[in-house]
Structures are given as C-alpha cells and as structure tokens.
Amino acid sequence: MLIATTEGQGWCYEVIVQSDGFLVQARDLDTGEVCLSETKLFRTSPVALAYADMAAAADRFAASRLEDAEDWQDLADDYHHELDRYQVIRDRLFDEGVGGDLLYQSRAGSLRENAHRMH
C-alpha cells in the first residue's frame, strides 16, 4: 500500500508498506518506470519517509545545478537539512536499509529455494 510520495525534479519517491518493511522506490516522472538501483527497503517508516524526502531534495538540487538556476543555494540548504534529518533518524533507529539490487537478489534466491522445495 502506497503511504507517501515526495517529488523531486525528475523522480517521484514512493513509500510503500510491505510485509517485510517500507519500500522506497524512485519512479521516473516522464516514463513512469521504477529505477531498481534507487530502490531501498527500510524496517521503519520514519527512516523510509526521511529517505524519500532527502532523495527528492537531492534530485531538486542536482537539477538546479544542471540548469544553473538562481535558487540553487536554497535548494542546497534544503538538501543538507533533509540529509541531516535522515542521518539522525537512521542512526537513532539503527535502520540502514537494504538496496534494491541486494533486495532483488535475495527475493529471487528465496523464490528459487521455494521452487526446489516444491519438486
């Protein structure tokens, strides 16, 4: 179940409740495709929500630097604020999260193990 979204410049960061935690996935705003390398699973919702906010702020800041926007300093300050908030919450709750590539490999391995058990 989708519980939150935060938009950056080119990506929307979605927080989804799953049975094993809170998945944050980056969806391209133009194509609607999910980027597996930008997907992360957290045990706790506060860390997942803070990560989504931080990632969206980073996306807005990076886009402003590419476009030579005048408000890039404000966006840099916003990104650093969100990064600090994410790190404090992550450290307090001991929730580093699991990256999308590792998560995919783990789930694929689990499916293979279950297939062997069935036969």
Side-chain angles (χ1 to χ4, degrees), residues 24 26 33-40 99-105:
V24 179
E33 292 184 27
V34 172
C35 179
L36 182 61
S37 65
E38 294 293 320
T39 299
K40 209 161 182 178
D101 295 333
L102 183 61
L103 182 63
Y104 177 76
Q105 291 172 1

Side-chain angles (χ1 to χ4, degrees), residues 12-76:
C12 175
Y13 296 88
E14 303 170 338
V15 181
I16 301 167
V17 176
Q18 296 194 329
S19 61
D20 51 352
F22 298 85
L23 185 72
V24 179
Q25 63 184 18
R27 185 175 301 279
D28 188 303
L29 290 173
D30 293 331
T31 66
E33 292 184 27
V34 172
C35 179
L36 182 61
S37 65
E38 294 293 320
T39 299
K40 209 161 182 178
L41 180 70
F42 296 94
R43 290 180 296 109
T44 60
S45 63
V47 179
L49 294 166
Y51 177 80
D53 290 342
M54 183 269 307
D59 184 35
R60 289 189 296 271
F61 171 57
S64 74
R65 295 302 292 156
L66 290 174
E67 298 169 358
D68 289 328
E70 292 180 13
D71 64 342
W72 71 267
Q73 187 61 52
D74 293 337
L75 293 171

Side-chain angles (χ1 to χ4, degrees), residues 40-43 47 86 90-91 93-99:
K40 209 161 182 178
L41 180 70
F42 296 94
R43 290 180 296 109
V47 179
Y86 164 66
R90 178 196 67 197
D91 293 346
L93 296 176
F94 302 102
D95 189 358
E96 293 287 327
V98 176

